Amino acid sequence: GTTGTPKRVQHSRNATAFSVAQTAEALDLHQGCHAVLALPTTFVAGQAMLVRALVGQWRMTLVEPSAAPSWSGPCDFVAMTPHQTQGWLEHGTGSATTLLLGGGPVSPALLRALLASPRVSFVWEGFGMSETLTHVALRRLDDVRDLAAPFVPLPGTCVTADAQGCARIDAPGREVHGLSTSDLVEMKDDGSFVWLGRRDDVVNSGGVLVHPMEVEQAFHNMCPDWVQDFVVYGRPDDTLGFEVVLRVQSDAPIGDLEGAFLAWRRQLKDLLGTAKTPRSVELGAVPRSDRGKVLRRALP
């Protein structure tokens, strides 16, 4: 997996075949389709792509896993992380009928770029993990407003919330029974759910629980071009317990950072309220894994 302490997970042949069949049916991937493998095969997501290709007799184009994948011409299907997808749009080549995103939150800015691009026709986002053999729920992203839409569990999958509000997954076809997660969810009456972020990332600031992803989503809508990357996290504070901090990364010349930050705070207060608005801003690198996930625990 890409988060938490590494551990060995074993999946049976039947469970793997079930997962592969569900993906093909849900995304209408026919036998013999042309797919691109841009994910590293050291993780389940990349391994699952290989099994899908073998079972479905796909024509597979292999590209070196990177932050800016490239391939020649069109393909029917590709799966990438949001970080890879951003690099692909800005620096890569190739096109895809169907793009499956996973491994991290999708920003409004990235989705707008995808929806405006002629290089991709359909954008899907998956929710899943190594223990569930990739995604067990999906949502189609046809509009930026869909980033607030719930994920819909695949047939035969049941997602519920435990006493802490974290997802509990039952997917018998994949031999997953009562799997506890650290993913905070808001359940809907029809069994779908909204992903709120990871419990480990929640910042308790003066008794208010702040989800960094909620603040980051709001900041995406006002982020200037000179900000190359950013992250929201909690820093120990003697009064609040933790204060909410916005770290921005930039190599470009920066003028009045304090003035910019005050303007951001005013806008964020209108969207989120005072308690969830970052109390300070800092310049610095945003630590990420080789798959593009933010490493919040590496921040001070």
Side-chain angles (χ1 to χ4, degrees), residues 203-209 239-243 275:
V203 179
N204 188 334
S205 183
V208 177
L209 299 182
T239 303
L240 298 171
F242 288 89
E243 68 168 342

Side-chain angles (χ1 to χ4, degrees), residues 201-208 210 212 232-246 261 265 275-282 300:
D201 295 337
V202 173
V203 179
N204 188 334
S205 183
V208 177
V210 182
V232 173
Y233 72 99
R235 184 167 59 200
D237 181 83
D238 291 337
T239 303
L240 298 171
F242 288 89
E243 68 168 342
V244 181
V245 179
L246 170 64
F261 178 56
R265 273 183 58 85
K276 296 182 180 181
T277 299
R279 292 172 60 88
S280 61
V281 65
E282 63 185 20

Side-chain angles (χ1 to χ4, degrees), residues 43 83 93 127 168 213 217 233 253-254 266 281 283:
F43 294 103
H83 187 62
T93 58
F127 172 88
R168 184 178 183 274
M213 194 179 77
Q217 292 277 15
Y233 72 99
I254 301 170
R266 286 194 294 270
V281 65
L283 285 172

Side-chain angles (χ1 to χ4, degrees), residues 63-254:
V63 300
E64 185 73 24
S66 72
S70 287
W71 60 90
S72 299
C75 73
D76 298 311
F77 176 60
V78 64
M80 293 189 287
T81 67
H83 187 62
Q84 283 184 304
T85 303
Q86 187 70 54
W88 171 65
L89 281 178
E90 294 177 353
H91 309 292
T93 58
S95 61
T97 301
T98 299
L99 166 65
L100 175 61
L101 294 167
V106 181
S107 71
L110 174 58
L111 183 55
R112 288 191 192 95
L114 285 169
L115 296 176
S117 173
R119 295 168 59 191
V120 61
S121 301
F122 304 106
V123 181
W124 290 81
E125 184 180 7
F127 172 88
M129 54 208 68
S130 299
E131 293 90 338
T132 63
L133 278 161
T134 72
H135 51 272
V136 291
L138 291 168
R139 64 179 177 183
R140 186 164 146 178
L141 303 177
D142 295 319
D143 187 276
V144 174
R145 289 171 294 185
D146 292 333
L147 291 174
F151 286 92
V152 179
L154 295 173
T157 298
C158 179
V159 177
T160 55
D162 64 15
Q164 287 74 44
C166 293
R168 184 178 183 274
I169 302 172
D170 287 279
R174 304 184 187 210
E175 301 172 6
V176 174
H177 305 282
L179 176 65
S180 296
T181 75
S182 296
D183 293 286
L184 292 165
V185 295
E186 177 188 325
M187 297 302 306
K188 302 297 182 181
D189 292 339
D190 61 0
S192 63
F193 61 92
V194 176
W195 182 63
L196 302 175
R198 293 185 63 81
R199 183 180 61 190
D200 298 341
D201 295 337
V202 173
V203 179
N204 188 334
S205 183
V208 177
L209 299 182
V210 182
H211 296 278
M213 194 179 77
E214 179 185 5
V215 183
E216 290 167 357
Q217 292 277 15
F219 183 65
H220 268 291
N221 294 315
M222 63 190 70
C223 182
D225 292 339
W226 55 264
V227 174
Q228 296 169 318
D229 203 357
F230 65 89
V231 63
V232 173
Y233 72 99
R235 184 167 59 200
D237 181 83
D238 291 337
T239 303
L240 298 171
F242 288 89
E243 68 168 342
V244 181
V245 179
L246 170 64
R247 172 178 286 204
V248 296
Q249 176 178 322
S250 178
D251 294 331
I254 301 170

Side-chain angles (χ1 to χ4, degrees), residues 19-41:
S19 168
V20 165
Q22 279 201 312
T23 297
E25 182 176 357
L27 301 181
D28 196 25
L29 302 173
H30 300 290
Q31 190 172 25
C33 79
H34 177 204
V36 167
L37 174 56
L39 297 168
T41 54

